[in-house]
Structures are given as structure tokens and as C-alpha cells.
């Protein structure tokens, strides 16, 4: 099995571009604001129940899912940054091989 340095370097450079796109995940501030607003609305559960008995559990479930989504996005950004560094290190090591 031959080490295909050029192919690994090429794919690594492309992977870094993919990871840069992941790092730029943004525009989720509206989701965070929605979650915060739902939390405020849930403070007066009686008022929500007066509108519809289904609203409090629906708001709670939606907040839970939004929190999970926001946490996952943040984790993905962190992984993007870290894997970019890892792949850059690989490229540095491969640059010494002719």
C-alpha cells in the first residue's frame, strides 16, 4: 500500500474548506431569542393555559429542542475549529515528505 501524499494533501485542503464552512455556522441568534422569549412566556403558565392548555407543554418541548439544536451547532463549530487545526498539522507533517 503506497502512501499517496499528494492525494491526502489535496483532500486535506478540501476538508479544511469544508470545516471553515462549518465554523461559520451563524445566524442562529433568532433561535436563541425565540427560546428566551418562550421561557419568558412560560413564566405565566396560567395565562398560557387560558389561551390553550396545550401551550405550556408545547413551549417546553420547543425550548428543549431549540436548546439541543443551539448546543449542537456550538459543538459543531468547536469541532470544526479543532479538526481544522488537526488537519493543518497533518499537512505540515506531509510537507516534509517528497
Amino acid at each position: 500500500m503506497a502512501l499517496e501524499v499528494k492525494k491526502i494533501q489535496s483532500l486535506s485542503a478540501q476538508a479544511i474548506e469544508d470545516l471553515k464552512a462549518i465554523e461559520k455556522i451563524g445566524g442562529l441568534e433568532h433561535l436563541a431569542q425565540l427560546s428566551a422569549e418562550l421561557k419568558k412566556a412560560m413564566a405565566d403558565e396560567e395565562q398560557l393555559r387560558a389561551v390553550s392548555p396545550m401551550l405550556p407543554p408545547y413551549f417546553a418541548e420547543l425550548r428543549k429542542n431549540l436548546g439541543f439544536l443551539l448546543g449542537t451547532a456550538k459543538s459543531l463549530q468547536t469541532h470544526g475549529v479543532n479538526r481544522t487545526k488537526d488537519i493543518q498539522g497533518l499537512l505540515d507533517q506531509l510537507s516534509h515528505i517528497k
Side-chain angles (χ1 to χ4, degrees):
M1 183 166 103
L3 177 63
E4 296 183 43
V5 174
K6 295 291 184 197
K7 185 173 186 176
I8 293 172
Q9 288 173 321
S10 175
L11 289 171
S12 294
Q14 293 170 355
I16 287 173
E17 291 303 313
D18 292 345
L19 290 167
K20 294 280 184 200
I22 288 171
E23 289 175 38
K24 293 178 183 175
I25 289 176
L28 302 180
E29 60 273 351
H30 294 110
L31 290 173
Q33 291 172 354
L34 174 59
S35 182
E37 203 57 38
L38 292 173
K39 182 178 181 178
K40 284 188 342 190
M42 289 174 62
D44 190 355
E45 193 171 324
E46 290 304 315
Q47 183 182 12
L48 284 178
R49 286 194 187 283
V51 173
S52 170
M54 295 302 297
L55 281 181
Y58 186 73
F59 277 29
E61 186 69 18
L62 186 54
R63 280 198 69 242
K64 180 182 85 171
N65 289 330
L66 288 175
F68 181 74
L69 174 67
L70 292 167
T72 300
K74 182 65 178 164
S75 178
L76 191 56
Q77 285 175 317
T78 300
H79 279 291
V81 169
N82 292 338
R83 296 309 69 84
T84 297
K85 291 175 187 175
D86 292 345
I87 294 172
Q88 192 61 52
L90 172 65
L91 284 173
D92 291 345
Q93 292 297 316
L94 292 176
S95 70
H96 302 297
I97 300 173
K98 300 291 179 206

